[in-house]
Amino acid sequence: MPADMPLWLLCAAPTVLMNNIKTEFSIGDLEDLTGVKAHTIRIWEKRYGLLSPQRSGNNLRNYSLDELRKLLNVVLLTGYGLKISKVAKMGTAEIEMMVGEIRVGRRDISHSVHLFKLAMMTFDQPLFLDATDHLLAKMPFSEVFRAYYLPFLEEIGLMWQAGKIQPAHEHFISCLIRMVVMQQTALCSRKVRKGTVPGYVLFLPFGEIHELGLMYLQYLITLQGSGCVYLGSNIPLDSLSEVTRLFTGVTFITYLTVLPEEKPLQQYIEALLEKVRGADSDLWVVGRRVAELGPMEAEGLRRFASLEEIAARFT
């Protein structure tokens, strides 16, 4: 996922973000974003007048953001058994009302991911939070994150790599997920008794800003009632010295997605191990780059191939 926008921009108003995204889409974009084949979209246009794209100078279809939103909703309704001929006769307001009714009554993964995607594409914060609240009414947040947020984040990654969404989309929705994770962590922080000695220190290497996975681990650790020092992103290696001086016998956890850039990866891990061993502590590493460490084995070092694997330690 992109790292070229500061995280404080994640909370920018939608009117600001709209200046950074495209508001016109090709039929190929619609196919990728909705899962409906371009051939089917053309049939729905011709037979039912479902969409009204503008034509470019070379006669290619251009669709507006409103038409993308409408098609996403149509896909949802047809997925629940409504005939396209019936849906096509509905006005936009009626379609959205029916989607809202389904939102109240249904809560499967594909439906929730649809709502998350719709919220992302239209910068609709209330829609995302409402969809999350409906899930939280039925299951713990750990299940919401694992079964709903993670599949959605994976889909976002694929869409971004394919150029179907822009950094503003990804950052907007990431901000909302961060907000929910922080809220849930704060709610369960009362489980940590006053005076509890921290058992874990969580941080990201310098230059690394993708911290959703690490924030989720903080939530799981806090939910257990364990003490946790969360340092967050962009932590230079040398700045850990003060932490290792104050806390001994703890477990340091870092998430390696893209970086570190301070040193070559293996050299960075060796330097990090030296620091934590001096504090009689262990080091756990997780993330995409863990596989690059090869056969490296060291006392106090534990590697996890995925977020799910390390999360299982706390559930």
Side-chain angles (χ1 to χ4, degrees):
M1 291 186 187
D4 56 350
M5 183 178 290
L7 285 179
W8 61 265
L9 275 180
L10 301 182
C11 295
T15 53
V16 175
L17 290 172
M18 288 295 288
N19 293 327
N20 297 313
I21 68 165
K22 64 180 182 180
T23 56
E24 291 187 350
F25 303 87
S26 68
I27 195 168
D29 291 334
L30 262 62
E31 180 176 13
D32 291 332
L33 290 168
T34 67
V36 180
K37 296 295 185 183
H39 175 68
T40 301
I41 295 173
R42 293 188 187 97
I43 291 176
W44 287 358
E45 286 176 16
K46 184 175 181 179
R47 186 175 299 172
Y48 305 111
L50 185 66
L51 303 174
S52 301
Q54 299 295 315
R55 295 281 184 168
S56 64
N58 52 6
N59 205 34
L60 295 178
R61 290 171 168 84
N62 287 322
Y63 298 84
S64 68
L65 191 59
D66 286 340
E67 287 173 315
L68 170 60
R69 180 187 183 107
K70 181 178 181 180
L71 185 57
L72 282 167
N73 282 329
V74 168
V75 171
L76 177 67
L77 295 179
T78 56
Y80 284 118
L82 275 74
K83 293 182 179 295
I84 182 61
S85 57
K86 179 179 179 180
V87 177
K89 294 177 182 178
M90 298 178 183
T92 300
E94 186 179 359
I95 289 174
E96 292 185 353
M97 182 179 68
M98 186 165 288
V99 167
E101 291 172 355
I102 290 176
R103 185 164 74 239
V104 172
R106 300 292 295 265
R107 198 50 47 185
D108 58 38
I109 293 178
S110 61
H111 176 66
S112 295
V113 170
H114 163 86
L115 294 176
F116 293 158
K117 186 189 297 185
L118 185 58
M120 176 182 68
M121 297 305 300
T122 58
F123 296 100
D124 191 336
Q125 176 174 315
L127 175 59
F128 176 83
L129 295 179
D130 178 63
T132 295
D133 285 343
H134 276 83
L135 292 173
L136 290 174
K138 298 186 177 184
M139 64 190 73
F141 177 66
S142 56
E143 181 68 11
V144 173
F145 192 96
R146 184 195 64 79
Y148 293 83
Y149 280 2
L150 283 181
F152 177 54
L153 288 168
E154 290 174 2
E155 186 166 346
I156 289 175
L158 294 174
M159 287 192 292
W160 184 81
Q161 290 174 13
K164 302 307 177 185
I165 61 174
Q166 296 188 6
H169 292 117
E170 187 264 342
H171 285 307
F172 172 77
I173 210 69
S174 294
C175 176
L176 294 182
I177 294 175
R178 282 164 50 88
M179 183 169 65
V180 174
V181 176
M182 291 174 68
Q183 177 193 49
Q184 294 298 315
T185 302
L187 288 174
C188 67
S189 63
R190 296 183 184 220
K191 293 179 178 289
V192 182
R193 294 184 178 181
K194 186 176 181 180
T196 299
V197 177
Y200 301 89
V201 176
L202 279 59
F203 70 98
L204 294 180
F206 181 73
E208 178 67 81
I209 63 171
H210 297 104
E211 60 177 324
L212 280 176
L214 199 70
M215 292 177 68
Y216 178 58
L217 293 179
Q218 180 197 18
Y219 162 77
L220 293 177
I221 292 169
T222 304
L223 186 64
Q224 283 190 335
S226 300
C228 177
V229 175
Y230 187 82
L231 301 179
S233 61
N234 254 333
I235 302 300
L237 190 59
D238 291 342
S239 71
L240 291 175
S241 298
E242 182 67 11
V243 182
T244 55
R245 184 181 70 81
L246 291 174
F247 302 106
T248 58
V250 302
T251 298
F252 285 77
I253 302 178
T254 191
Y255 211 107
L256 307 175
T257 304
V258 180
L259 301 170
E261 61 183 14
E262 295 174 286
K263 305 173 183 290
L265 181 59
Q266 185 152 335
Q267 185 180 344
Y268 175 83
I269 295 297
E270 290 171 352
L272 186 52
L273 268 172
E274 185 176 346
K275 279 189 176 296
V276 304
R277 281 201 199 113
D280 193 28
S281 298
D282 294 330
L283 174 64
W284 292 1
V285 294
V286 61
R288 184 171 57 193
R289 297 203 63 195
V290 168
E292 298 176 27
L293 289 173
M296 179 182 180
E297 298 290 343
E299 183 181 355
L301 174 65
R302 179 153 189 174
R303 298 183 289 184
F304 297 86
S306 66
L307 177 63
E308 291 90 340
E309 183 182 348
I310 191 171
R313 300 281 300 186
F314 305 106
T315 56

